[in-house]
Amino acid sequence: MHDRTHPAPDITEADRIDRLRLIRSDNVGPRTFNALIAHFGNARAALEHLPELARRGGASRSGRICSEEQARAEIAAGQKIGVTLTAPDEAAYPPRLATLEDAPPLLGIRGVREVMLRPIIAIVGSRNASGAGLKFAGQLARDLGDAGFIVISGLARGIDQAAHRATIESGTVAVLAGGHDKIYPPEHGDLLAALLDHGGAISEMPLGHVPRAHDFPRRNRLISGASLGVVVIEAAHRSGSLITARMAAEQGREVFAVPGSPLDPRAAGTNDLIKQGAALVTEASDVINAIQPILARPVVLEAREDDDAPLDFEIDPNVRGRIVALLGPSPISLDDLIRMSGLSPALVRTVLLELELAGRLERHGGGLVTLI
Amino acid sequence: MHDRTHPAPDITEADRIDRLRLIRSDNVGPRTFNALIAHFGNARAALEHLPELARRGGASRSGRICSEEQARAEIAAGQKIGVTLTAPDEAAYPPRLATLEDAPPLLGIRGVREVMLRPIIAIVGSRNASGAGLKFAGQLARDLGDAGFIVISGLARGIDQAAHRATIESGTVAVLAGGHDKIYPPEHGDLLAALLDHGGAISEMPLGHVPRAHDFPRRNRLISGASLGVVVIEAAHRSGSLITARMAAEQGREVFAVPGSPLDPRAAGTNDLIKQGAALVTEASDVINAIQPILARPVVLEAREDDDAPLDFEIDPNVRGRIVALLGPSPISLDDLIRMSGLSPALVRTVLLELELAGRLERHGGGLVTLI
């Protein structure tokens, strides 16, 4: 059972180095990376324009641009521990993850690369899960593994590790919030080593990156993005697993939730998800039956609304000022900026890109931006 | 807060006695009662035709017809313990119950008659409920009572009694499977006595009737029928509460279910109900918010499909034979009988009525019948 519909060619090593330099340069995230590539044609050309764009965005000091040496060093260090940096247009990249508009431009893949191409189901939940929750997570993961699915999760304590442990033999993927050499929590190093025999680990972060609080929600979009659907087992109100569920819904992935007693606070989040329309799960067939029709359809790129408008660097300085004046610490959407400024989407997008490269713009969920 | 939209006049005592005689006569159930009244105009005329109809249906021996003396005695005995026999077209009859096509032609009502006219929510569930289930049932019932709803249930052990006990002050209705003087389980006699101060008890059975196994599912249609919606708390697979939920759905009532862990067999039935479309409940507002729009609409009679065709007693003996030949121990529907016999709905219904009065026909759920 494979989840990729067509093979993809590898990119050249020179292109890989250029892409790595671009995504590792200051203020370049996946969306900006994609916008730059779309405009300049390739990473090399985009790199050459970075300083100018940042200056036009009002950078007080020049942002750091990743050097060729640094990129080569990261690739070499990764190879030593079996990490290969893979682009969305390459064969080994998880195909559903590649469809995200904020897919990592280079994903560090470790372990059995073939599992990335199999149908993937995410199982996530509380770190401080109950005994029943842990037991059910293991049981569900095992049944999904037996049915040919790869189980993906976040290597966390609680539900995550139970799902991974139950699928060490059938194949499981750990998504890391830090670099491949900075495992969190540290005591799960053994679990990671064990699952690499028949499974894998992925990260978008450079080696040496110690995960911080805000890296976990960012990482969660990869868990949901790589999967056909996300099963949430035991989640309290406002827990990280609910962020993964929300991202899954935004990405068009199926959302499943395991119910629990109204008197159990660890079931409050999952019961709420079901009230909001998530499918109730008590056994693997609930997931498999819902997923089968999706699996039968080809993997398609999601609509990239933001990319509809090309960039336009022919900007009148007054125009830049008008957009900056509309920005502030309160989040505002691209659509509102276009409407309120009366300017073209291309101009607004370009100014936002410049501001971002200058380190003056922050992007939030739902396409909202704030000026820093 | 009242749930009746228009007042109804009382019936005459003579008519009440005739109606009681008709429904207490052998082989006359609520549907047959209604068909006979629709055809003959009143209970007195129907009673006069009973022996002839039973004979035409092939009764081997004459069925017992309730005498006027027996009817008067039942009414008098009921009055001694505060039970009044009330017809669907009278003001004190629970208005939603009156809309059922198999509404009891005379309902024995005890306690505060006014509560029958308030908006009613059913709470049902396992007899061997868990501590958490009992606690939640009490909490939910109390919150619904505080919000102005009357809680109805079956006076059983477990969830039922927890729901009643929590609403003794706000008002609760017990629906009995036996006569008003044959309380089951016997140890809930005190609970019944306590709830009669601000609530009531209803039964369609004659005094002295000791409830048997098949009386409980029959009784359950009154619990769901009198209510705006049914909340199921803790129900295993194939439990009686699920019968109540199915009846509620067939009657067009809202079905609510309280979730539980997939590892808890007492939640298997409720989780299944949610999978099938029941609304998930973790707090009273889940019920109230769903019920409010229904409460705002007037109470209307449900479509009485079976009553569309009138009776037709001009039957050729050959016709009767053709229908009997199609009947057997395997359940068959009225629609199939009409189609396979090529006869009019009126003729088929009339022959079935005769067979029923002769004690030769059994009616099952979903409009199916078998020959005894």
Side-chain angles (χ1 to χ4, degrees), chain A residues 217-222 224 242-253:
Chain A
R218 178 179 173 165
R219 180 274 313 266
N220 290 354
R221 87 186 195 284
L222 306 186
S224 54
L242 299 186
I243 297 175
T244 311
R246 201 193 61 222
M247 284 175 172
E250 287 174 5
Q251 292 165 347
R253 305 297 186 258

Side-chain angles (χ1 to χ4, degrees), chain B residues 61-125:
Chain B
R61 56 182 185 82
S62 190
R64 190 189 60 86
I65 292 182
C66 175
S67 70
E68 190 177 322
E69 291 65 36
Q70 289 169 318
R72 285 190 186 279
E74 181 179 341
I75 291 172
Q79 281 170 342
K80 279 192 190 160
I81 59 169
V83 174
T84 53
L85 289 163
T86 308
D89 40 353
E90 294 189 292
Y93 202 95
R96 290 184 191 266
L97 187 57
T99 67
L100 299 190
E101 55 178 339
D102 58 353
L106 285 170
L107 184 71
I109 303 181
R110 196 177 170 196
V112 181
R113 295 158 69 87
E114 185 270 342
V115 299
M116 306 297 164
L117 310 183
R118 303 242 315 267
I120 299 174
I121 304 282
I123 296 182
V124 299

Side-chain angles (χ1 to χ4, degrees), chain B residues 300-354:
Chain B
V300 289
L301 285 177
E302 68 181 21
R304 299 195 174 184
E305 214 173 297
D306 285 357
D307 288 358
D308 282 355
L311 299 178
D312 178 358
F313 286 101
E314 302 299 318
I315 305 174
D316 184 305
N318 291 334
V319 159
R320 195 174 286 119
R322 269 159 71 188
I323 295 173
V324 170
L326 289 169
L327 290 165
S330 297
I332 186 170
S333 73
L334 179 64
D335 283 349
D336 282 344
L337 279 175
I338 291 166
R339 198 168 39 74
M340 294 163 83
S341 68
L343 297 168
S344 74
L347 279 176
V348 175
R349 286 188 68 240
T350 307
V351 171
L352 293 184
L353 184 83
E354 291 174 353

Side-chain angles (χ1 to χ4, degrees), chain A residues 81-100:
Chain A
I81 58 168
V83 174
T84 53
L85 289 163
T86 309
D89 41 354
E90 293 189 292
Y93 201 96
R96 291 188 190 264
L97 187 56
T99 66
L100 300 189

Side-chain angles (χ1 to χ4, degrees), chain A residues 122-145:
Chain A
I123 295 181
V124 299
S126 293
R127 288 188 298 278
N128 64 336
S130 71
L134 295 172
K135 182 180 172 189
F136 183 79
Q139 192 172 298
L140 180 73
R142 197 171 301 110
D143 290 346
L144 289 173

